[in-house]
Amino acid sequence: MLARGGRVILLCRNEEKMSKAVQELRASSAPSDASVEGFLMDLKSFESVRNAADKVRQAVNHIDILILNAGKPKLT
């Protein structure tokens, strides 16, 4: 989506990994009209989800495509 000039928003629970992913995507060969940003969100915390939703609402007027991808937690 970024390669096609889209606006990509990542919602991540780990700030370090999110920052790295955002930097890597920004460094990619995406067109100049593409953009990427990240917001912190931890699905274990309803407050975190609510805060992230508020930030997304402030950042965009509408969502054309939504991709949900939650990884399976590691069991130790």
Side-chain angles (χ1 to χ4, degrees):
M1 285 186 227
L2 194 62
R4 291 178 173 247
R7 182 176 184 183
V8 175
I9 298 175
L10 304 176
L11 298 170
C12 305
R13 68 175 175 200
N14 182 296
E15 187 170 10
E16 183 178 328
K17 290 180 181 180
M18 179 187 68
S19 295
K20 183 178 178 184
V22 168
Q23 287 175 350
E24 287 176 8
L25 288 169
R26 285 182 179 156
S28 70
S29 57
S32 61
D33 59 340
S35 68
V36 62
E37 57 193 298
F39 299 120
L40 289 175
M41 181 178 76
D42 186 349
L43 292 174
K44 293 180 183 178
S45 165
F46 190 67
E47 182 180 356
S48 175
V49 172
R50 189 179 303 125
N51 289 339
D54 288 341
K55 289 179 182 178
V56 171
R57 269 192 229 109
Q58 292 171 5
V60 299
N61 294 328
H62 68 280
I63 297 173
D64 292 317
I65 299 172
L66 177 64
I67 298 174
L68 303 172
N69 179 30
K72 186 176 180 181
K74 292 181 183 178
L75 300 175
T76 57

